[in-house]
Amino acid sequence: MKETILLGHGSGGKLSHELIKNLFVKYFDNAILKQQTDAALLQLNRTKIAFTTDSYVIDPVFFPGGNIGKLAVCGTVNDISVSGAKPLYISAAFIIEEGFPLTDLEKIVSAMADEAKKAGVLIVTGDTKVVSKGQCDKVFINTAGIGVHEEKYCEIGLGVKIKTGDKIIINGSIADHGMAIMAVRNFGNFEADIKSDCASLNGLIQKILNTGSRINFMRDATRGGMATVLCELAEQLKLGVEIEEFRVPVNENVRGMCELLGFDPFYVANEGKVILVVHPDDAELVLETMKLHELGKDASIIGEIVEAHPSKAILNTGIGGKRIIDMLAGEQLPRIC
Amino acid sequence: MKETILLGHGSGGKLSHELIKNLFVKYFDNAILKQQTDAALLQLNRTKIAFTTDSYVIDPVFFPGGNIGKLAVCGTVNDISVSGAKPLYISAAFIIEEGFPLTDLEKIVSAMADEAKKAGVLIVTGDTKVVSKGQCDKVFINTAGIGVHEEKYCEIGLGVKIKTGDKIIINGSIADHGMAIMAVRNFGNFEADIKSDCASLNGLIQKILNTGSRINFMRDATRGGMATVLCELAEQLKLGVEIEEFRVPVNENVRGMCELLGFDPFYVANEGKVILVVHPDDAELVLETMKLHELGKDASIIGEIVEAHPSKAILNTGIGGKRIIDMLAGEQLPRIC
């Protein structure tokens, strides 16, 4: 381990994984945490539940397509939803810098309330801490969430049923959230016309599950981008992941902004994107179902699980080449969520 | 509402209550949140659970009797335990300042692991965010927790069974945590020989419940001190609360430090103190049971619920006078937890 905490330890990439393995999993040592899914699968009496937490430190607090409050609800709703559970209850804990405008706090809280209503979850418990000016930057929000599992879906987050030949599907364009934030940071407010994809995915996911299709894995691609999910997947499965670059939806203005600022969209954060691994016979039905939903209209089958190159995710590039999709090494975009 | 966030909004006192009522409860508007207990009482299929969250921003991070990690586990274990539930699972979310020493983080994480083991809870999910130097102060930790209720105890946190004549019991001396922190802040490390009372109370509480006594209410006295719990209790019940000052245990060195620095120990934070309201016929049994436990050996019956002065908590002072125990107005000790 490095001797001090670096920004990269919060990137969701290599250093984050090291920190989790060498510190948190080592000390907190238990079988549930070791599964390292975004939402823990817990048994309470006869009920199986999903339990997750995330802190949000995004800067700026307000951005095109949302604010830190909306993001905090969507993020936790999504972590529970991709585990296969139905999100029900959310906690909201605020750390606020002294002097933060109450009108801004009200906008944030109001956005949380709106998003919770939309997603059909209740915010049932909370906490407020205030620190002196300069001891935190504006406002940080933590949300934890609880969802209830149906027995048949409770292992989706673990990916235990994935097999060679399964199709990999994404519900739409990548890198919108990260580039919306970068556009604001670099060029001021709302000028680049790129909007965060920040959204609660539980409605879409419920529709997909309702088809009865064999959904063998889901994960939302947030910090570290789509690439990180694919790397984690390949490593965990000891199978190969193969992605067709031309099938991955990227909005033109987002691609342009990525080129301008030197980012690879595969590594840029999303906040409303889910990657699914689906039995090949069910992939078309899933795709069509997704396309009928507002949050899945640009869905695409982007690749599949293969026997070749185990533990590696490979990108077939548009020009006929192949390259390894590696895990994010440093920190690309601090405070992106 | 004031126009900007003040330190007092995080005090646990009057301004906190205003903010919760006028902002969070107003927007998040649901019956569960409105109960305003530290742990929400939720129904998941046929299982009743307690769900709570707290962020910890304590400064200094290391203090006599514990550190921010130990505190984060104890605090959440206690919020669940006083609701009458058995704490089982905890989440841990870190916001870390870039440059924070990894050895310090390891000490914190190790203390969390130790305390979780001691309290019999598992840390099952987590999150790590890193912010640039100067954007937070060292490290903030959020823990959320889940506990399972037995039907017969699930309303303890609501206090619906409290009646006139019920005895008020505390498990030991007050103000230790707050004054330990103030001693370190004012006089440097460990010199005043005052230790935080930071401890997980679930073991003690389980022993009390096992007696079969009629425990009509429990709450841990943290931010805002014992006074805040008593005020909240009186207001909520529309009954009177009467406390005998000489029965409230205060350690001599803590009393001295309070006088020196101008604090009223009734308003100073605790992190291992529970206030119980017990049927008068069961109070002696509860007291004796508590005294046999390490964390209850200085337990004391400090007062009772009365018909007189409804919605007010009154202190009978040592010198024969009476004074109203009012809610904390401003912020006494920022970043005390």
Side-chain angles (χ1 to χ4, degrees):
Chain A
M1 287 200 281
K2 303 284 183 298
E3 284 174 352
T4 63
I5 287 289
L6 309 173
L7 284 172
H9 284 113
S11 66
K14 265 185 190 155
L15 283 171
S16 297
H17 281 74
E18 263 178 49
L19 190 69
I20 291 168
K21 193 175 133 214
N22 299 333
L23 195 63
F24 300 121
V25 173
K26 177 182 158 196
Y27 279 98
F28 298 157
D29 185 36
N30 63 72
I32 301 166
L33 186 66
K34 267 187 196 137
Q35 293 179 333
Q36 290 191 45
T37 49
D38 278 341
L41 173 60
L42 307 177
Q43 182 91 32
L44 294 175
N45 298 338
R46 273 176 299 274
T47 301
K48 281 206 170 72
I49 71 162
F51 179 36
T52 190
T53 188
D54 265 308
S55 292
Y56 296 86
V57 297
I58 191 165
D59 178 39
V61 165
F62 297 95
F63 51 84
N67 64 43
I68 190 171
K70 180 185 177 188
L71 180 64
V73 172
C74 293
T76 287
V77 163
N78 292 347
D79 278 346
I80 293 173
S81 305
V82 298
S83 80
K86 184 180 154 63
L88 293 178
Y89 300 113
I90 282 187
S91 65
F94 297 79
I95 300 172
I96 313 171
E97 186 181 16
E98 178 190 19
F100 189 71
L102 258 170
T103 47
D104 283 354
L105 186 61
E106 189 164 8
K107 275 182 215 157
I108 291 166
V109 169
S110 159
M112 292 180 82
D114 289 347
E115 190 60 32
K117 202 169 175 185
K118 216 166 144 183
V121 298
L122 295 178
I123 299 173
V124 292
T125 189
D127 178 52
T128 314
K129 295 291 188 301
V130 181
V131 299
S132 298
K133 222 169 165 54
Q135 296 183 346
C136 86
D137 188 20
K138 299 184 277 288
V139 60
F140 302 151
I141 301 177
N142 177 284
T143 47
I146 295 177
V148 170
H149 273 293
E150 280 188 64
E151 193 66 39
K152 59 183 168 183
Y153 301 135
C154 76
E155 286 188 322
I156 285 182
L158 306 178
V160 289
K161 289 181 183 165
I162 296 178
K163 286 206 171 61
T164 305
D166 281 359
K167 298 295 181 189
I168 301 169
I169 306 179
I170 193 163
N171 64 313
S173 60
I174 60 169
D176 297 299
H177 176 75
M179 294 326 290
I181 302 302
M182 288 314 287
V184 176
R185 284 194 199 157
N186 282 276
F187 307 109
N189 238 354
F190 297 74
E191 271 179 27
D193 198 28
I194 300 178
K195 260 188 159 176
S196 166
D197 58 336
C198 177
S200 294
L201 294 168
N202 55 333
L204 171 68
I205 288 172
Q206 194 57 55
K207 274 206 161 31
I208 297 170
L209 294 177
N210 287 348
T211 63
S213 299
R214 284 157 285 185
I215 309 301
N216 292 335
F217 179 76
M218 287 189 280
R219 186 163 295 169
D220 52 337
T222 55
R223 267 190 297 183
M226 191 181 76
T228 300
V229 174
L230 298 174
C231 289
E232 287 172 350
L233 191 60
E235 269 182 26
Q236 183 195 321
L237 293 173
K238 317 282 180 221
L239 285 171
V241 165
E242 205 150 321
I243 301 295
E244 305 301 325
E245 188 170 29
F246 78 98
R247 290 195 185 276
V248 178
V250 187
N251 285 325
E252 267 321 302
N253 52 358
V254 169
R255 193 188 297 280
M257 185 66 71
C258 280
E259 277 167 15
L260 189 66
L261 298 175
F263 286 105
D264 179 343
F266 277 55
Y267 291 90
V268 176
N270 312 281
E271 289 296 344
K273 290 298 163 327
V274 55
I275 290 169
L276 301 101
V277 180
V278 181
H279 191 286
D281 296 347
D282 297 344
E284 281 301 327
L285 173 61
V286 169
L287 188 70
E288 277 162 35
T289 306
M290 290 170 81
K291 281 177 181 279
L292 294 175
H293 192 282
E294 175 62 25
L295 297 175
K297 60 182 179 350
D298 298 323
S300 174
I301 299 177
I302 58 172
E304 66 176 67
I305 307 295
V306 296
E307 199 86 53
H309 51 80
S311 302
K312 285 203 165 50
I314 299 281
L315 184 71
N316 294 323
T317 62
I319 49 164
K322 283 182 190 291
R323 65 177 173 90
I324 292 179
I325 303 172
D326 205 354
M327 205 165 279
L328 191 61
E331 171 56 303
Q332 208 184 18
L333 299 170
R335 297 184 62 188
I336 203 70
C337 64
Chain B
M1 288 200 281
K2 303 282 182 298
E3 284 173 351
T4 62
I5 287 289
L6 309 173
L7 284 172
H9 284 113
S11 67
K14 265 184 189 155
L15 284 172
S16 296
H17 281 75
E18 264 178 48
L19 189 69
I20 290 168
K21 193 177 133 213
N22 299 334
L23 195 63
F24 300 121
V25 173
K26 179 182 157 197
Y27 280 97
F28 298 157
D29 186 34
N30 63 72
I32 300 167
L33 186 66
K34 267 188 196 135
Q35 294 180 333
Q36 290 192 44
T37 48
D38 279 340
L41 173 60
L42 307 176
Q43 183 90 31
L44 295 176
N45 297 338
R46 275 176 298 275
T47 300
K48 281 206 169 72
I49 72 160
F51 180 35
T52 190
T53 188
D54 264 309
S55 292
Y56 296 87
V57 297
I58 191 165
D59 179 38
V61 165
F62 296 95
F63 52 84
N67 64 45
I68 190 171
K70 180 184 176 188
L71 180 64
V73 172
C74 293
T76 287
V77 163
N78 292 346
D79 278 346
I80 292 172
S81 305
V82 300
S83 79
K86 184 181 153 66
L88 292 178
Y89 300 113
I90 282 187
S91 65
F94 297 80
I95 300 173
I96 314 172
E97 186 182 15
E98 177 191 20
F100 188 71
L102 258 171
T103 48
D104 283 353
L105 185 61
E106 189 164 9
K107 277 182 213 157
I108 291 166
V109 169
S110 159
M112 294 180 82
D114 289 347
E115 191 60 32
K117 203 169 174 185
K118 216 166 144 183
V121 297
L122 294 179
I123 300 172
V124 292
T125 190
D127 178 51
T128 313
K129 295 291 189 300
V130 180
V131 298
S132 298
K133 221 169 167 58
Q135 296 182 347
C136 88
D137 187 19
K138 296 183 279 286
V139 60
F140 302 151
I141 301 177
N142 177 283
T143 47
I146 295 177
V148 170
H149 272 293
E150 280 187 66
E151 194 66 40
K152 59 183 168 182
Y153 300 136
C154 76
E155 287 188 321
I156 285 182
L158 306 178
V160 289
K161 290 181 182 163
I162 295 178
K163 285 206 173 60
T164 306
D166 280 0
K167 298 296 183 188
I168 302 169
I169 306 180
I170 193 164
N171 65 312
S173 59
I174 60 169
D176 297 296
H177 176 75
M179 294 325 291
I181 303 302
M182 288 313 286
V184 176
R185 284 194 199 156
N186 283 277
F187 308 109
N189 236 355
F190 297 77
E191 271 179 27
D193 199 28
I194 299 178
K195 260 186 157 176
S196 166
D197 58 335
C198 175
S200 293
L201 294 167
N202 56 331
L204 171 68
I205 288 172
Q206 195 56 56
K207 273 206 161 33
I208 296 169
L209 294 176
N210 287 348
T211 63
S213 300
R214 285 157 284 184
I215 308 301
N216 292 335
F217 179 77
M218 288 189 281
R219 186 163 293 168
D220 53 336
T222 55
R223 268 190 297 182
M226 192 180 76
T228 300
V229 174
L230 298 173
C231 289
E232 287 172 348
L233 191 60
E235 269 183 27
Q236 182 195 322
L237 293 173
K238 318 283 179 219
L239 285 171
V241 165
E242 205 151 322
I243 301 295
E244 305 300 325
E245 188 170 29
F246 77 98
R247 291 196 186 277
V248 178
V250 187
N251 284 325
E252 267 321 303
N253 52 359
V254 170
R255 192 186 297 279
M257 184 66 70
C258 279
E259 278 167 16
L260 189 66
L261 298 175
F263 287 105
D264 179 343
F266 277 56
Y267 291 90
V268 176
N270 313 281
E271 289 295 346
K273 290 299 160 331
V274 55
I275 290 169
L276 301 102
V277 180
V278 181
H279 191 287
D281 297 346
D282 297 343
E284 281 300 328
L285 173 60
V286 169
L287 188 70
E288 277 161 36
T289 307
M290 290 171 81
K291 282 178 181 279
L292 293 175
H293 193 282
E294 176 62 24
L295 297 175
K297 60 183 178 353
D298 298 322
S300 173
I301 299 177
I302 59 172
E304 66 177 67
I305 306 296
V306 297
E307 200 85 52
H309 51 80
S311 301
K312 284 203 164 52
I314 299 282
L315 184 72
N316 294 324
T317 61
I319 49 164
K322 280 181 192 294
R323 65 177 174 89
I324 292 178
I325 303 172
D326 205 355
M327 206 165 278
L328 192 62
E331 172 55 304
Q332 209 184 19
L333 299 169
R335 297 184 65 187
I336 204 67
C337 64

